[in-house]
């Protein structure tokens, strides 16, 4: 034989409203999704209990159920099909959706809009990196202030040991019908503001909101080669979603300190290389610093001031892809401020020749 709604709540068919309420509260607490995270069976049981209570706590619906085994011609609750429950924060019930047909379509537009899943906001956190850390990669701790489920009540908003109860004003439907002659107008329930549940004893920590601001510290891997202004997106680490919506992302924005040695241009690093006039004229070898250590570079004869000489693959790691950029050595011809006697003689001879 199929399980009845009375079985679901574990009460006798003739149970009083008080007994039903008591049984409901006990079971709702036991199977509450916040207490059984990830437990599909508990979630199903919770839905069943909610649905059963919605019917049995309402004299009209209970009468109908006793007679027809269903309310409003709909299948008896508990089957679980098309039941749009929502366990983000504490928004149990959604019994309005379960029995959405009661007041006719469309009239619940306002409350329905509130219940649409809403994706959480993205959060931007800025990190400051040394030039070297940006080149070689590092791991940084990023503190982020987020709105999270209250630690005290687990997000229900109810004082620990208590649970939100079905709103007595609307019997959990979230809407109230007002009879006006032949028509029934429905509007969001003022008592529970459309939630279908009310908190009798609010949690002292969050004052019943079920949420609190909290600093979460994430450890973020910085890939080698990030630039000033690189955005690193960490999926689902932002603000929590509402009504079952997905969380937002955390976007880490990097600031990279300037280097005393290099000027960064994309993945290339430009480094000035002081070269004497004679070396630039005749050609020769100089040592050029790179992030992986100095490299000997050949300066071609006749190099002019400002000439860029490319040292392949010694620059910054490429973020998207493999390999590295280049180091560009910029020839800087040094003009001596002072010369000794010998140098002066040679320079004078050179001048006469040209
Ligand atoms: Zn709380
Ligand atoms: Zn209500």
């Amino acid at each position: 034989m199929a399980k009845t709604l009375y079985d679901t709540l574990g009460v006798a068919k003739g149970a009083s409203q008080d007994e039903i309420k008591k049984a409901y509260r006990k079971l709702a607490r036991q199977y509450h999704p916040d207490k059984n995270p990830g437990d599909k069976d508990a979630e199903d049981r919770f839905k069943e209990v909610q649905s059963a209570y919605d019917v049995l706590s309402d004299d009209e619906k209970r009468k109908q159920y006793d007679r027809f085994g269903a309310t409003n011609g709909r299948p008896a609750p508990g089957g679980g099909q098309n039941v749009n429950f929502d366990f983000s924060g504490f928004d149990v019930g959604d019994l309005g959706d379960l029995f959405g047909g009661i007041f006719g379509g469309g009239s619940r537009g306002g409350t329905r809009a509130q219940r649409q899943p809403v994706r959480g906001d993205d959060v931007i956190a800025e990190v400051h990196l040394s030039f070297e850390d940006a080149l070689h990669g590092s791991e940084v701790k990023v503190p982020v202030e987020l709105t999270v489920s209250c630690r005290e009540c687990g997000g229900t908003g109810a004082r620990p040991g208590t649970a939100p109860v079905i709103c007595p004003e609307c019997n959990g439907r979230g809407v109230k019908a007002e009879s006006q002659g032949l028509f029934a107008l429905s509007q969001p329930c003022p008592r529970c503001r459309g939630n279908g549940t009310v908190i009798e004893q609010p949690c002292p920590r969050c004052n019943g909101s079920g949420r609190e601001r909290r600093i979460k510290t994430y450890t973020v891997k910085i890939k080698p080669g990030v630039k000033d202004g690189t955005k690193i997106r960490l999926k689902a680490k932002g603000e929590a979603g509402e009504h079952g919506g997905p969380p937002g992302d955390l976007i880490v924005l990097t600031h990279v300190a300037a280097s005393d040695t290099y000027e960064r241009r994309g993945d290339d690093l430009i480094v000035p290389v002081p070269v004497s006039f004679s070396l630039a004229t005749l050609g020769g070898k100089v040592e050029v610093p790179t992030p992986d250590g100095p490299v000997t570079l050949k300066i071609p004869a006749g190099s002019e001031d400002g000439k860029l000489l490319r040292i392949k693959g010694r620059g910054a790691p490429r973020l998207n892809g493999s390999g590295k950029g280049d180091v560009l050595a910029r020839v800087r011809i040094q003009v001596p401020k002072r010369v000794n006697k010998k140098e002066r003689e040679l320079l004078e001879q050179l001048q006469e020749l040209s």
Side-chain angles (χ1 to χ4, degrees):
M1 221 183 79
K3 203 160 106 175
T4 69
L5 297 185
Y6 296 99
D7 295 339
T8 300
L9 290 184
V11 295
K13 198 167 176 215
S16 70
Q17 275 305 330
D18 232 34
E19 287 171 312
I20 286 170
K21 195 170 179 182
K22 228 179 243 166
Y24 159 70
R25 282 202 195 176
K26 186 172 156 261
L27 291 170
R29 260 203 290 280
Q30 184 180 346
Y31 294 113
H32 193 279
D34 285 343
K35 276 196 182 160
N36 305 279
D39 185 343
K40 191 79 184 65
D41 286 345
E43 189 181 316
D44 290 343
R45 280 286 284 144
F46 186 74
K47 288 176 194 174
E48 273 180 42
V49 166
Q50 291 280 357
S51 309
Y53 181 71
D54 183 73
V55 173
L56 299 185
S57 63
D58 183 315
D59 286 340
E60 269 309 304
K61 284 195 221 164
R62 187 176 174 184
K63 241 183 262 169
Q64 265 198 22
Y65 174 76
D66 287 344
R67 279 179 68 191
F68 305 115
T71 54
N72 289 281
R74 296 186 146 220
Q81 306 94 330
N82 300 321
V83 179
N84 179 19
F85 271 92
D86 175 16
F87 296 130
S88 66
F90 189 83
D91 205 10
V92 290
D94 240 17
L95 297 169
D97 279 346
L98 191 56
F99 295 103
I102 289 171
F103 300 123
S107 55
R108 300 182 59 246
T111 48
R112 184 170 282 279
Q114 285 173 16
R115 307 241 178 162
Q116 291 298 315
V118 179
R119 183 179 176 275
D121 286 336
D122 289 343
V123 176
I124 296 177
E126 301 185 25
V127 295
H128 293 264
L129 301 167
S130 70
F131 191 84
E132 287 69 30
D133 280 351
L135 279 189
H136 299 120
S138 77
E139 225 175 53
V140 289
K141 297 238 184 285
V142 183
V144 186
E145 196 181 338
L146 295 170
T147 301
V148 296
S149 278
C150 169
R151 268 172 293 178
E152 192 78 16
C153 61
T156 67
R159 179 183 284 273
T162 72
V165 295
I166 294 287
C167 173
E169 191 88 15
C170 62
N171 276 321
R173 280 188 293 267
V175 286
K176 278 202 73 180
E178 267 175 41
S179 215
Q180 299 200 341
L182 286 173
F183 302 99
L185 290 176
S186 64
Q187 51 188 197
C189 169
R191 173 88 186 266
C192 62
R193 281 170 306 183
N195 283 323
T197 55
V198 288
I199 290 160
E200 288 180 333
Q201 296 180 59
C203 161
R205 185 182 182 93
C206 63
N207 291 320
S209 69
R211 302 185 143 213
E212 64 173 324
R213 292 295 279 177
R214 200 160 144 197
I215 304 228
K216 269 197 181 178
T217 303
Y218 290 116
T219 303
V220 178
K221 269 213 157 59
I222 304 290
K223 276 208 250 173
V226 295
K227 303 178 180 73
D228 191 56
T230 295
K231 286 176 181 164
I232 303 163
R233 187 175 281 268
L234 288 115
K235 282 259 169 237
K237 299 277 193 233
E239 295 284 8
E242 283 182 60
H243 308 309
D249 298 336
L250 171 63
I251 293 161
V252 176
L253 176 64
T254 57
H255 294 290
V256 178
S259 162
D260 293 336
T261 312
Y262 307 101
E263 178 196 325
R264 191 154 169 185
R265 189 189 284 173
D267 297 323
D268 294 338
L269 302 175
I270 300 172
V271 57
V273 180
V275 176
S276 71
F277 171 75
S278 51
L279 195 143
T281 310
L282 303 171
K285 283 174 179 169
V286 292
E287 213 168 62
V288 178
T290 79
D292 307 315
V295 164
T296 303
L297 175 69
K298 192 166 171 278
I299 306 284
S303 291
E304 284 180 26
D305 184 65
K307 185 182 176 75
L308 285 172
L309 297 166
R310 192 172 288 270
I311 306 169
K312 280 237 166 253
R314 290 296 197 127
R318 296 192 199 283
L319 258 189
N320 305 314
S322 55
K324 290 177 175 183
D326 304 329
V327 165
L328 300 172
R330 178 177 272 145
V331 173
R332 281 287 171 228
I333 293 176
Q334 303 301 102
V335 177
K337 292 267 182 297
R338 228 178 270 144
V339 288
N340 61 29
K341 192 159 178 269
K342 180 90 195 279
E343 287 167 333
R344 177 172 287 277
E345 280 172 15
L346 287 170
L347 286 167
E348 279 169 358
Q349 284 175 27
L350 191 64
Q351 180 104 24
E352 276 164 32
L353 282 172
S354 56

